[in-house]
Amino acid sequence: MTAAVDLATVWAFIIAFAVFVYVVMDGFDLGLGMLFPLFPAKADRDVMMNSVAPVWDGNETWLVLGGGGLMAAFPLAYAVLMPALYTPVIAMLIGLVFRGVAFEFRWRTTAARNRWDVAFAAGSLLATLAQGVALGAILQGVQVEGRHYAGGWWDWLTPFSLLTGVALVIGYSLLGATWLILKTEGALREKAYRLSWGLLFAMLAAIAAVSIATPFLSIQYAQRWFAWPNVALAAPVPIAVAAVTALLMRSLGQKQDSRPFFLVLALFALSYAGLGISMYPFIVPQSITIWQAAAPQNSQIFMLVGVAGLVPLILGYTGWAYWVFRGKVRAGSGYH
Amino acid sequence: MLSNLDPIVLARAQFAFTMSFHIVFPAFSIGLASYLAVLEALWLWTGREVFLNLFHYWLKIFAIAFGMGVVSGIVMSYQFGTNWSVFADKTGPVIGPLMAYEVLTAFFLEAGFLGVMLFGLERVGPRLHFFATLMVAIGTLISAFWILSANSWMQTPTGYAVNADGQFVVADWFKVIFNPSFPYRLVHMVLAAYLTTSLVVGAVGAYHLLRDPHLPGPRVMFSMAMWMAALVAPIQILAGDQHGLNTLAHQPAKVMAMEGHYQSHKDGAPLILFGLPDQAAGRVDYAIQIPKLSSLILKHSLDAPLAGLDTVPRENWPPVPITFWSFRIMIALGFLIFGLGLFSLWTRWRGTLFDSRPLHIFALTMGPAGFIAVLAGWITTETGRQPFTVYGLLRTADAASPLAAPAVGSSLLAFVIVYFIVFAAGAIYILRLMAASPHHGEQGPSGAMPARAAGITPASGAAGQGAPS
């Protein structure tokens, strides 16, 4: 039994890791898509698109690993959560369809380029909003009977889930803006700096709002954060958020191009850890724990072999691909 | 309106619709990725520019098709949870790991090296670039391995047990992965992908040869495509026959539906060429049939008895009309492709491969045949499995999510609208690329061109990536 307990926890960390890698990797290219309307010049948009075109597909694959891994390792949680999140998931998929094909299509047409730019921006916004809403819907808990989702198909829509939706839009946009600082130069970079300041304050407000609202969702969350001795374990998170924010402001002020992006990643990691502290050990909050949802041991072990062997390799060649396309992306002079 | 509909019917329609759109892209990109690897290898080996031109020409088309395959594939991967949550719960421990391995071994490989393949020739050099192309091609094949293993397990489940929660659990991974129908299905599908691509490449070659028979690029691609069709079509017919025998052994009701055998035949079953299956009456009207041929094909004996659907409980009957007709469409196209291959061999022998207008017109009209055959084949095997999702064990009606019809109906409507907009646009852009012939210096990675030109940027202007820093 001890082995089963450990495996479920191991898999909870693996799934959480896959989802986190997805969030930070697809997060910046979705954010960049949402910033598109603020950069109306075609040359700027070309540079923005080019900065992510070689890597976006790999970024998005982590979403498939998160979903597929959830079905494989915690089939019961997958079976309960997907119908509960039906509308946001479908909305996310449709957003990703538009966003994904825009990478190819906008270069293939002159007349309709603006339309694919709109599809890129709107698809990114829809997908991000849907992901944020889905997160809020999971946190607030879903109705379960037996092994099924038992709620209605609008239960996901609450003020709290809208708040988390907006928070994610702000967060991804900030990631996108700092990615642009990292990858571009000139006026485009300057504008990205200006946007980053505004988005940073918006993100801090969003983190505060979500943090304040979460304990009101359930007594369990409140106890997790405010009851002794948990508070001693949880307290480092807000303190670290304050420290990272200070570093981020300094790096934005001193225009250290490479640092802001990674400091925003750190902010995401801390927020994510905060979510983990709130939820663990529930995978469907207040209803199903990771042990109840876990697939049989031999399924989890079979996949663990693959994950242990392959994920380092995947991270290796993904890193190589990023290395190949390192450095600032420039508008090609003379090609227009 | 929607609330009067059965949510399971809507969920099935949604799966069939999204799957039908999706399947054509992997079928095309499996073949095209291998073709691109061959073209780049030939370029590295011979140094002939025509191969590099063809590589860049097809790379642009590949990029669009691959992008559409990715986005429609993500929809598929989440649909198991949204519309078929009971299926996901019950089969998750078996199917989930197979799909997770597909992601780990195939999707990441393809996606990780795709960027280098599309945009990286100048940055990494020809040899490393060829390695990236090879990884993408291998990734598509590994993907086929896992997804067909998962699909085949749903058709011919072995190596499982059922636990207290009613979930399928794995007793033997080897038996799950290499289940009885898997080898046949994998070979049949990969060959179908290669044939599909060869027909598209051949049609594009034929189109440009019809306008100018001397263009070097179209000549090379037409010749390569026709070799592929001539060599692979007969192998595919043999593979299909073997797959059919395997299906007879493990899913007899599916074969009865494919053949239209509502009745049992004690001494030799006829082959029904055409007819109108009447599911309610349980007979095929206006049948045109060849006596005893079905027994000869399936049992290799004229007088072998063959059981019909009258031996199967009625609630386990597959929908015969769909299976019957889709099977015939696939077979007919298979033999037409075989005919195209023979025709090309004959003209090749006569030295008129590049001048035969009838051959070129035939090849041009056969361009979409592979896609239609793949779709028809998929419909045959999937509807033939009905009314089960896991053959004989889990009914389709018991696999669906507890959802209201309006939820499934409106998402179906949304997918229909979105897919028609997006994939129609994609098809137009691909056809537009195909309408131009591959030319000298095709999007070449020469210093004068932007680095991005290798994949995406049209020559008519857009940003380049500049020098690597």
Side-chain angles (χ1 to χ4, degrees):
Chain A
M1 197 57 221
T2 330
V5 170
D6 289 344
L7 265 183
T9 306
V10 167
W11 267 101
F13 274 100
I14 292 171
I15 302 289
F17 175 75
V19 172
F20 182 69
V21 175
Y22 170 75
V23 164
V24 297
M25 290 177 88
D26 214 24
F28 74 77
D29 57 49
L30 285 167
L32 183 140
M34 289 187 285
L35 296 177
F36 241 47
L38 303 176
F39 294 86
K42 179 186 165 295
D44 286 348
R45 289 183 174 183
D46 290 351
V47 169
M48 290 166 79
M49 203 82 146
N50 285 351
S51 76
V52 290
V55 292
W56 77 271
D57 192 10
N59 298 347
E60 200 157 287
T61 305
W62 290 93
L63 179 67
V64 186
L65 183 65
L70 186 65
M71 174 172 166
F74 301 102
L76 179 60
Y78 183 76
V80 167
L81 286 176
M82 287 300 138
L85 304 174
Y86 195 78
T87 309
V89 167
I90 302 280
M92 174 189 80
L93 294 172
I94 286 173
L96 291 177
V97 166
F98 276 114
R99 199 278 302 237
V101 296
F103 276 105
E104 302 293 333
F105 288 2
R106 83 180 283 275
W107 303 100
R108 296 278 153 235
T109 162
T110 330
R113 181 183 297 123
N114 275 335
R115 257 176 275 160
W116 291 116
D117 284 355
V118 171
F120 185 63
S124 301
L125 177 65
L126 182 62
T128 305
L129 199 58
Q131 287 173 8
V133 165
L135 171 68
I138 292 173
L139 274 177
Q140 73 198 9
V142 300
Q143 229 179 305
V144 181
E145 262 169 38
R147 299 178 74 83
H148 302 284
Y149 172 62
W153 65 295
W154 286 99
D155 287 10
W156 54 271
L157 185 64
T158 61
F160 180 74
S161 70
L162 288 177
L163 172 66
T164 52
V166 171
L168 200 67
V169 168
I170 294 167
Y172 280 3
S173 298
L174 177 59
L175 263 181
T178 51
W179 170 260
L180 285 178
I181 290 173
L182 183 68
K183 296 296 282 186
T184 65
E185 34 183 34
L188 185 50
R189 189 191 65 146
E190 292 306 315
K191 190 164 178 180
Y193 266 114
R194 287 197 299 277
L195 287 170
S196 295
W197 277 109
L199 286 166
L200 174 59
F201 290 118
M203 178 157 171
L204 292 173
I207 290 175
V210 174
S211 304
I212 291 165
T214 305
F216 289 101
L217 289 175
S218 107
I219 187 75
Q220 279 167 339
Y221 292 150
Q223 283 175 346
R224 187 59 57 84
W225 282 97
F226 300 117
W228 189 260
N230 293 338
V231 69
L233 297 168
V237 175
I239 293 168
V241 167
V244 171
T245 305
L247 286 173
L248 183 53
M249 285 178 170
R250 204 178 66 162
S251 69
L252 283 177
Q254 295 178 351
K255 303 220 164 158
Q256 298 166 319
D257 284 8
S258 58
R259 276 200 198 162
F261 179 70
F262 297 100
L263 287 166
V264 176
L265 289 189
L267 272 187
F268 264 86
L270 289 167
S271 304
Y272 199 73
L275 289 176
I277 290 171
S278 294
M279 273 177 70
Y280 185 85
F282 286 96
I283 194 160
V284 180
Q286 289 118 58
S287 305
I288 300 171
T289 66
I290 54 174
W291 300 288
Q292 291 166 327
Q297 268 197 54
N298 71 351
S299 292
Q300 295 198 327
I301 290 170
F302 177 68
M303 283 190 301
L304 201 55
V305 175
V307 167
L310 291 163
V311 168
L313 188 68
I314 290 163
L315 291 173
Y317 61 65
T318 304
W320 176 71
Y322 271 83
W323 176 250
V324 166
F325 297 100
R326 69 193 175 277
K328 300 276 190 187
V329 181
R330 295 187 180 88
S333 53
Y335 300 125
H336 301 292
Chain B
M1 179 195 83
L2 284 169
S3 49
N4 297 328
L5 289 167
D6 180 355
I8 289 167
V9 171
L10 290 168
R12 287 184 64 187
Q14 187 172 125
F15 196 86
F17 178 79
T18 49
M19 183 68 203
S20 299
F21 264 87
H22 174 65
I23 199 169
V24 301
F25 298 110
F28 188 40
S29 51
I30 289 169
L32 202 49
S34 292
Y35 185 54
L36 286 168
V38 168
L39 285 172
E40 193 171 13
L42 286 171
W43 171 59
L44 288 173
W45 188 35
T46 67
R48 284 178 60 197
E49 198 213 327
V50 66
F51 291 120
L52 183 63
N53 290 341
L54 284 179
F55 175 82
H56 283 125
Y57 181 82
W58 286 104
L59 185 62
K60 285 177 280 181
I61 293 165
F62 177 81
I64 297 182
F66 190 87
M68 292 193 284
V70 166
V71 296
S72 56
I74 291 174
V75 172
M76 298 311 303
S77 72
Y78 276 83
Q79 203 161 69
F80 292 113
T82 50
N83 286 347
W84 302 100
S85 65
V86 180
F87 171 83
D89 179 26
K90 286 191 189 300
T91 68
V94 179
I95 299 275
L98 301 183
M99 294 200 295
Y101 266 96
E102 185 186 16
V103 181
L104 290 169
T105 58
F107 291 167
F108 276 116
L109 197 65
E110 295 171 54
F113 286 96
L114 182 76
V116 175
M117 181 194 189
L118 292 179
F119 309 117
L121 184 52
E122 277 205 327
R123 286 177 178 244
V124 300
R127 284 172 188 281
L128 209 46
H129 185 263
F130 175 62
F131 178 74
T133 308
L134 210 55
M135 288 302 111
V136 173
I138 291 171
T140 62
L141 291 169
I142 297 175
S143 172
F145 176 94
W146 290 110
I147 201 67
L148 285 166
S149 174
N151 179 268
S152 298
W153 184 83
M154 291 161 65
Q155 307 270 358
T156 55
T158 46
Y160 66 90
V162 178
N163 73 8
D165 292 322
Q167 288 175 309
F168 292 98
V169 296
V170 172
D172 183 337
W173 277 109
F174 191 83
K175 282 185 178 166
V176 165
I177 297 168
F178 298 95
N179 59 77
S181 65
F182 169 59
Y184 299 92
R185 216 177 292 278
L186 178 66
V187 169
H188 200 44
M189 183 67 204
V190 171
L191 292 179
Y194 281 0
L195 275 177
T196 298
T197 305
S198 75
L199 290 171
V200 174
V201 173
V204 173
Y207 173 75
H208 294 294
L209 288 177
L210 280 167
R211 302 160 105 200
D212 178 357
H214 301 294
L215 292 168
R219 284 168 77 106
V220 169
M221 66 175 155
F222 185 68
S223 175
M224 290 174 87
M226 288 302 110
W227 274 125
M228 183 62 108
L231 297 174
V232 174
I235 299 173
Q236 178 70 310
I237 290 171
L238 287 175
D241 178 59
Q242 292 299 306
H243 187 187
L245 295 180
N246 177 269
T247 307
L248 181 67
H250 296 279
Q251 297 177 285
K254 182 192 283 187
V255 175
M256 294 167 195
M258 285 155 63
E259 299 279 318
H261 289 325
Y262 283 107
Q263 280 81 35
S264 299
H265 296 272
K266 285 192 168 49
D267 43 0
L271 182 74
I272 303 174
L273 291 175
F274 292 103
L276 297 176
D278 183 336
Q279 184 87 343
R283 61 162 192 269
V284 179
D285 297 328
Y286 311 108
I288 301 168
Q289 52 193 27
I290 302 171
K292 311 223 181 236
L293 190 55
S294 189
S295 283
L296 183 68
I297 292 171
L298 291 168
K299 299 271 183 161
H300 295 210
S301 153
L302 284 173
D303 294 320
L306 207 58
L309 285 170
D310 51 9
T311 62
V312 175
R314 189 145 191 145
E315 69 271 17
N316 291 351
W317 283 16
V320 176
I322 301 174
T323 316
F324 180 88
W325 277 109
S326 60
F327 179 61
R328 265 147 199 74
I329 291 168
M330 178 186 74
I331 296 286
L333 288 170
F335 279 97
L336 275 174
I337 297 165
F338 180 56
L340 177 67
L342 288 181
F343 193 0
S344 78
L345 285 178
W346 186 64
T347 56
R348 206 185 284 273
W349 179 65
R350 300 218 358 196
T352 57
L353 184 71
F354 302 122
D355 305 299
S356 167
R357 284 186 72 85
L359 175 68
H360 297 164
I361 292 169
F362 187 19
L364 182 59
T365 52
M366 288 293 282
F371 294 119
I372 301 167
V374 164
L375 268 176
W378 176 75
I379 291 168
T380 303
T381 200
E382 295 296 290
T383 58
R385 188 190 56 208
Q386 297 301 326
F388 297 102
T389 43
V390 181
Y391 196 66
L393 300 168
L394 178 64
R395 283 181 176 275
T396 308
D398 299 331
S401 299
L403 287 165
V408 193
S410 43
S411 65
L412 172 61
L413 191 66
F415 279 124
V416 169
I417 294 168
V418 168
Y419 275 33
F420 274 110
I421 294 172
V422 165
F423 297 123
I428 289 167
Y429 299 143
I430 284 180
L431 287 173
R432 207 185 276 168
L433 286 170
M434 288 174 169
S437 75
H439 55 272
H440 171 71
E442 177 76 39
Q443 302 280 341
S446 68
M449 297 294 290
R452 292 204 75 254
I456 298 299
T457 316
S460 63
Q465 204 146 10
S469 45

